[in-house]
Amino acid sequence: FILEKVSDITKILKFVINISSFCYFMLFGDINLIECVVMMLVQFCGAIMGARMVLKNGSKLITPVVVIACFVISVSLLLNP
């Protein structure tokens, strides 16, 4: 029960932080709305696809995806400092 409550609070805090960041950058004109909308739509679609894959395949899918993503990010950071 406590973990569910903490998870809910975390989601609310993330939402508030994202909205406040968006408002800050909008006020100071340091934002590209077209890129923001495209990124938002792609992230939304990715979250839906990821959730469906996890519900269908379970944890056997999560570990390899996390390892591959970490490896790709590490290589990217090493090649482009």
Side-chain angles (χ1 to χ4, degrees), residues 6-24 40 43-44:
V6 170
S7 178
D8 293 342
I9 292 170
T10 302
K11 290 175 186 174
I12 292 169
L13 288 174
K14 284 182 183 179
F15 179 75
V16 170
I17 289 169
N18 288 339
I19 293 298
S20 60
S21 298
F22 177 75
C23 291
Y24 173 83
M40 180 183 66
Q43 186 176 11
F44 182 75

PDB file of all heavy atoms in Angstrom, residues 6-24 40 43-44:
ATOM      1  N   VAL A   6       3.469   6.018  -2.768  1.00  0.00           N
ATOM      2  CA  VAL A   6       4.699   6.702  -3.167  1.00  0.00           C
ATOM      3  C   VAL A   6       4.755   6.820  -4.684  1.00  0.00           C
ATOM      4  O   VAL A   6       5.129   7.860  -5.223  1.00  0.00           O
ATOM      5  CB  VAL A   6       5.940   5.957  -2.620  1.00  0.00           C
ATOM      6  CG1 VAL A   6       7.221   6.501  -3.217  1.00  0.00           C
ATOM      7  CG2 VAL A   6       5.980   6.051  -1.104  1.00  0.00           C
ATOM      8  N   SER A   7       4.371   5.767  -5.388  1.00  0.00           N
ATOM      9  CA  SER A   7       4.364   5.800  -6.851  1.00  0.00           C
ATOM     10  C   SER A   7       3.396   6.859  -7.368  1.00  0.00           C
ATOM     11  O   SER A   7       3.706   7.593  -8.307  1.00  0.00           O
ATOM     12  CB  SER A   7       3.975   4.429  -7.389  1.00  0.00           C
ATOM     13  OG  SER A   7       3.912   4.453  -8.790  1.00  0.00           O
ATOM     14  N   ASP A   8       2.235   6.960  -6.748  1.00  0.00           N
ATOM     15  CA  ASP A   8       1.262   7.979  -7.156  1.00  0.00           C
ATOM     16  C   ASP A   8       1.801   9.379  -6.919  1.00  0.00           C
ATOM     17  O   ASP A   8       1.665  10.262  -7.768  1.00  0.00           O
ATOM     18  CB  ASP A   8      -0.051   7.791  -6.400  1.00  0.00           C
ATOM     19  CG  ASP A   8      -0.773   6.510  -6.786  1.00  0.00           C
ATOM     20  OD1 ASP A   8      -0.443   5.954  -7.848  1.00  0.00           O
ATOM     21  OD2 ASP A   8      -1.649   6.079  -6.021  1.00  0.00           O
ATOM     22  N   ILE A   9       2.428   9.595  -5.777  1.00  0.00           N
ATOM     23  CA  ILE A   9       2.992  10.913  -5.460  1.00  0.00           C
ATOM     24  C   ILE A   9       4.103  11.256  -6.445  1.00  0.00           C
ATOM     25  O   ILE A   9       4.203  12.394  -6.925  1.00  0.00           O
ATOM     26  CB  ILE A   9       3.490  10.955  -4.005  1.00  0.00           C
ATOM     27  CG1 ILE A   9       2.297  10.865  -3.050  1.00  0.00           C
ATOM     28  CG2 ILE A   9       4.310  12.210  -3.738  1.00  0.00           C
ATOM     29  CD1 ILE A   9       2.676  10.668  -1.603  1.00  0.00           C
ATOM     30  N   THR A  10       4.928  10.269  -6.788  1.00  0.00           N
ATOM     31  CA  THR A  10       6.012  10.492  -7.736  1.00  0.00           C
ATOM     32  C   THR A  10       5.465  10.904  -9.099  1.00  0.00           C
ATOM     33  O   THR A  10       5.990  11.819  -9.735  1.00  0.00           O
ATOM     34  CB  THR A  10       6.856   9.212  -7.881  1.00  0.00           C
ATOM     35  OG1 THR A  10       7.357   8.853  -6.606  1.00  0.00           O
ATOM     36  CG2 THR A  10       8.006   9.408  -8.837  1.00  0.00           C
ATOM     37  N   LYS A  11       4.401  10.247  -9.549  1.00  0.00           N
ATOM     38  CA  LYS A  11       3.804  10.589 -10.840  1.00  0.00           C
ATOM     39  C   LYS A  11       3.254  12.011 -10.835  1.00  0.00           C
ATOM     40  O   LYS A  11       3.420  12.748 -11.803  1.00  0.00           O
ATOM     41  CB  LYS A  11       2.695   9.592 -11.192  1.00  0.00           C
ATOM     42  CG  LYS A  11       3.233   8.227 -11.534  1.00  0.00           C
ATOM     43  CD  LYS A  11       2.128   7.237 -11.767  1.00  0.00           C
ATOM     44  CE  LYS A  11       2.719   5.848 -11.963  1.00  0.00           C
ATOM     45  NZ  LYS A  11       1.709   4.819 -12.066  1.00  0.00           N
ATOM     46  N   ILE A  12       2.630  12.392  -9.739  1.00  0.00           N
ATOM     47  CA  ILE A  12       2.099  13.752  -9.629  1.00  0.00           C
ATOM     48  C   ILE A  12       3.235  14.768  -9.646  1.00  0.00           C
ATOM     49  O   ILE A  12       3.160  15.782 -10.342  1.00  0.00           O
ATOM     50  CB  ILE A  12       1.242  13.898  -8.353  1.00  0.00           C
ATOM     51  CG1 ILE A  12      -0.028  13.063  -8.488  1.00  0.00           C
ATOM     52  CG2 ILE A  12       0.890  15.349  -8.085  1.00  0.00           C
ATOM     53  CD1 ILE A  12      -0.816  12.907  -7.200  1.00  0.00           C
ATOM     54  N   LEU A  13       4.304  14.490  -8.902  1.00  0.00           N
ATOM     55  CA  LEU A  13       5.447  15.408  -8.874  1.00  0.00           C
ATOM     56  C   LEU A  13       6.101  15.533 -10.248  1.00  0.00           C
ATOM     57  O   LEU A  13       6.469  16.632 -10.663  1.00  0.00           O
ATOM     58  CB  LEU A  13       6.470  14.962  -7.832  1.00  0.00           C
ATOM     59  CG  LEU A  13       6.060  15.163  -6.384  1.00  0.00           C
ATOM     60  CD1 LEU A  13       7.092  14.544  -5.448  1.00  0.00           C
ATOM     61  CD2 LEU A  13       5.873  16.631  -6.071  1.00  0.00           C
ATOM     62  N   LYS A  14       6.251  14.426 -10.949  1.00  0.00           N
ATOM     63  CA  LYS A  14       6.830  14.477 -12.297  1.00  0.00           C
ATOM     64  C   LYS A  14       5.968  15.323 -13.221  1.00  0.00           C
ATOM     65  O   LYS A  14       6.479  16.120 -14.009  1.00  0.00           O
ATOM     66  CB  LYS A  14       6.971  13.066 -12.880  1.00  0.00           C
ATOM     67  CG  LYS A  14       8.122  12.284 -12.326  1.00  0.00           C
ATOM     68  CD  LYS A  14       8.186  10.932 -13.011  1.00  0.00           C
ATOM     69  CE  LYS A  14       9.269  10.073 -12.442  1.00  0.00           C
ATOM     70  NZ  LYS A  14       9.313   8.755 -13.093  1.00  0.00           N
ATOM     71  N   PHE A  15       4.660  15.162 -13.126  1.00  0.00           N
ATOM     72  CA  PHE A  15       3.744  15.938 -13.956  1.00  0.00           C
ATOM     73  C   PHE A  15       3.884  17.427 -13.652  1.00  0.00           C
ATOM     74  O   PHE A  15       3.991  18.253 -14.564  1.00  0.00           O
ATOM     75  CB  PHE A  15       2.308  15.475 -13.728  1.00  0.00           C
ATOM     76  CG  PHE A  15       1.298  16.240 -14.527  1.00  0.00           C
ATOM     77  CD1 PHE A  15       1.158  16.017 -15.880  1.00  0.00           C
ATOM     78  CD2 PHE A  15       0.506  17.201 -13.926  1.00  0.00           C
ATOM     79  CE1 PHE A  15       0.231  16.722 -16.627  1.00  0.00           C
ATOM     80  CE2 PHE A  15      -0.424  17.917 -14.651  1.00  0.00           C
ATOM     81  CZ  PHE A  15      -0.561  17.678 -16.011  1.00  0.00           C
ATOM     82  N   VAL A  16       3.909  17.784 -12.369  1.00  0.00           N
ATOM     83  CA  VAL A  16       4.032  19.192 -11.975  1.00  0.00           C
ATOM     84  C   VAL A  16       5.364  19.768 -12.445  1.00  0.00           C
ATOM     85  O   VAL A  16       5.418  20.892 -12.968  1.00  0.00           O
ATOM     86  CB  VAL A  16       3.872  19.343 -10.439  1.00  0.00           C
ATOM     87  CG1 VAL A  16       4.238  20.734  -9.981  1.00  0.00           C
ATOM     88  CG2 VAL A  16       2.456  19.006 -10.032  1.00  0.00           C
ATOM     89  N   ILE A  17       6.438  19.014 -12.315  1.00  0.00           N
ATOM     90  CA  ILE A  17       7.755  19.483 -12.750  1.00  0.00           C
ATOM     91  C   ILE A  17       7.770  19.692 -14.262  1.00  0.00           C
ATOM     92  O   ILE A  17       8.289  20.693 -14.758  1.00  0.00           O
ATOM     93  CB  ILE A  17       8.859  18.501 -12.308  1.00  0.00           C
ATOM     94  CG1 ILE A  17       9.038  18.578 -10.790  1.00  0.00           C
ATOM     95  CG2 ILE A  17      10.173  18.781 -13.028  1.00  0.00           C
ATOM     96  CD1 ILE A  17       9.899  17.481 -10.223  1.00  0.00           C
ATOM     97  N   ASN A  18       7.202  18.760 -15.006  1.00  0.00           N
ATOM     98  CA  ASN A  18       7.172  18.895 -16.466  1.00  0.00           C
ATOM     99  C   ASN A  18       6.350  20.095 -16.906  1.00  0.00           C
ATOM    100  O   ASN A  18       6.763  20.842 -17.794  1.00  0.00           O
ATOM    101  CB  ASN A  18       6.634  17.616 -17.109  1.00  0.00           C
ATOM    102  CG  ASN A  18       7.617  16.482 -17.030  1.00  0.00           C
ATOM    103  OD1 ASN A  18       8.817  16.687 -16.867  1.00  0.00           O
ATOM    104  ND2 ASN A  18       7.122  15.273 -17.126  1.00  0.00           N
ATOM    105  N   ILE A  19       5.193  20.300 -16.299  1.00  0.00           N
ATOM    106  CA  ILE A  19       4.354  21.443 -16.664  1.00  0.00           C
ATOM    107  C   ILE A  19       5.041  22.749 -16.296  1.00  0.00           C
ATOM    108  O   ILE A  19       5.047  23.711 -17.079  1.00  0.00           O
ATOM    109  CB  ILE A  19       2.970  21.347 -15.981  1.00  0.00           C
ATOM    110  CG1 ILE A  19       2.184  20.172 -16.548  1.00  0.00           C
ATOM    111  CG2 ILE A  19       2.178  22.639 -16.135  1.00  0.00           C
ATOM    112  CD1 ILE A  19       1.883  20.276 -18.027  1.00  0.00           C
ATOM    113  N   SER A  20       5.655  22.815 -15.113  1.00  0.00           N
ATOM    114  CA  SER A  20       6.331  24.053 -14.715  1.00  0.00           C
ATOM    115  C   SER A  20       7.535  24.341 -15.608  1.00  0.00           C
ATOM    116  O   SER A  20       7.785  25.500 -15.955  1.00  0.00           O
ATOM    117  CB  SER A  20       6.744  24.005 -13.236  1.00  0.00           C
ATOM    118  OG  SER A  20       7.620  22.936 -13.000  1.00  0.00           O
ATOM    119  N   SER A  21       8.262  23.312 -16.013  1.00  0.00           N
ATOM    120  CA  SER A  21       9.380  23.504 -16.936  1.00  0.00           C
ATOM    121  C   SER A  21       8.881  24.020 -18.279  1.00  0.00           C
ATOM    122  O   SER A  21       9.469  24.942 -18.859  1.00  0.00           O
ATOM    123  CB  SER A  21      10.136  22.194 -17.153  1.00  0.00           C
ATOM    124  OG  SER A  21      10.684  21.728 -15.952  1.00  0.00           O
ATOM    125  N   PHE A  22       7.808  23.439 -18.765  1.00  0.00           N
ATOM    126  CA  PHE A  22       7.216  23.887 -20.022  1.00  0.00           C
ATOM    127  C   PHE A  22       6.814  25.356 -19.938  1.00  0.00           C
ATOM    128  O   PHE A  22       7.118  26.141 -20.841  1.00  0.00           O
ATOM    129  CB  PHE A  22       6.002  23.016 -20.360  1.00  0.00           C
ATOM    130  CG  PHE A  22       5.287  23.447 -21.606  1.00  0.00           C
ATOM    131  CD1 PHE A  22       5.816  23.179 -22.855  1.00  0.00           C
ATOM    132  CD2 PHE A  22       4.078  24.126 -21.527  1.00  0.00           C
ATOM    133  CE1 PHE A  22       5.155  23.571 -24.007  1.00  0.00           C
ATOM    134  CE2 PHE A  22       3.412  24.529 -22.667  1.00  0.00           C
ATOM    135  CZ  PHE A  22       3.957  24.247 -23.909  1.00  0.00           C
ATOM    136  N   CYS A  23       6.166  25.733 -18.849  1.00  0.00           N
ATOM    137  CA  CYS A  23       5.737  27.134 -18.676  1.00  0.00           C
ATOM    138  C   CYS A  23       6.944  28.073 -18.611  1.00  0.00           C
ATOM    139  O   CYS A  23       6.928  29.158 -19.203  1.00  0.00           O
ATOM    140  CB  CYS A  23       4.888  27.277 -17.418  1.00  0.00           C
ATOM    141  SG  CYS A  23       3.289  26.478 -17.558  1.00  0.00           S
ATOM    142  N   TYR A  24       7.987  27.671 -17.906  1.00  0.00           N
ATOM    143  CA  TYR A  24       9.194  28.497 -17.807  1.00  0.00           C
ATOM    144  C   TYR A  24       9.784  28.757 -19.190  1.00  0.00           C
ATOM    145  O   TYR A  24      10.081  29.893 -19.549  1.00  0.00           O
ATOM    146  CB  TYR A  24      10.218  27.815 -16.902  1.00  0.00           C
ATOM    147  CG  TYR A  24      11.550  28.517 -16.877  1.00  0.00           C
ATOM    148  CD1 TYR A  24      11.767  29.600 -16.045  1.00  0.00           C
ATOM    149  CD2 TYR A  24      12.594  28.113 -17.696  1.00  0.00           C
ATOM    150  CE1 TYR A  24      12.985  30.262 -16.015  1.00  0.00           C
ATOM    151  CE2 TYR A  24      13.805  28.754 -17.690  1.00  0.00           C
ATOM    152  CZ  TYR A  24      14.000  29.834 -16.845  1.00  0.00           C
ATOM    153  OH  TYR A  24      15.199  30.486 -16.832  1.00  0.00           O
ATOM    154  N   MET A  40       6.257  14.748 -27.808  1.00  0.00           N
ATOM    155  CA  MET A  40       5.187  14.317 -26.920  1.00  0.00           C
ATOM    156  C   MET A  40       4.412  13.149 -27.534  1.00  0.00           C
ATOM    157  O   MET A  40       4.139  12.151 -26.859  1.00  0.00           O
ATOM    158  CB  MET A  40       4.248  15.486 -26.637  1.00  0.00           C
ATOM    159  CG  MET A  40       3.097  15.146 -25.721  1.00  0.00           C
ATOM    160  SD  MET A  40       1.977  16.515 -25.469  1.00  0.00           S
ATOM    161  CE  MET A  40       1.293  16.710 -27.111  1.00  0.00           C
ATOM    162  N   GLN A  43       6.628   9.993 -27.624  1.00  0.00           N
ATOM    163  CA  GLN A  43       6.782   9.444 -26.276  1.00  0.00           C
ATOM    164  C   GLN A  43       5.498   8.760 -25.818  1.00  0.00           C
ATOM    165  O   GLN A  43       5.538   7.681 -25.211  1.00  0.00           O
ATOM    166  CB  GLN A  43       7.173  10.553 -25.299  1.00  0.00           C
ATOM    167  CG  GLN A  43       7.486  10.039 -23.920  1.00  0.00           C
ATOM    168  CD  GLN A  43       7.962  11.149 -22.999  1.00  0.00           C
ATOM    169  OE1 GLN A  43       7.870  12.327 -23.316  1.00  0.00           O
ATOM    170  NE2 GLN A  43       8.469  10.763 -21.845  1.00  0.00           N
ATOM    171  N   PHE A  44       4.357   9.356 -26.121  1.00  0.00           N
ATOM    172  CA  PHE A  44       3.070   8.764 -25.765  1.00  0.00           C
ATOM    173  C   PHE A  44       2.886   7.410 -26.457  1.00  0.00           C
ATOM    174  O   PHE A  44       2.512   6.419 -25.817  1.00  0.00           O
ATOM    175  CB  PHE A  44       1.940   9.735 -26.134  1.00  0.00           C
ATOM    176  CG  PHE A  44       0.574   9.243 -25.771  1.00  0.00           C
ATOM    177  CD1 PHE A  44       0.153   9.256 -24.458  1.00  0.00           C
ATOM    178  CD2 PHE A  44      -0.282   8.784 -26.754  1.00  0.00           C
ATOM    179  CE1 PHE A  44      -1.109   8.801 -24.120  1.00  0.00           C
ATOM    180  CE2 PHE A  44      -1.549   8.336 -26.432  1.00  0.00           C
ATOM    181  CZ  PHE A  44      -1.958   8.342 -25.110  1.00  0.00           C
TER     182      PHE A  44
END
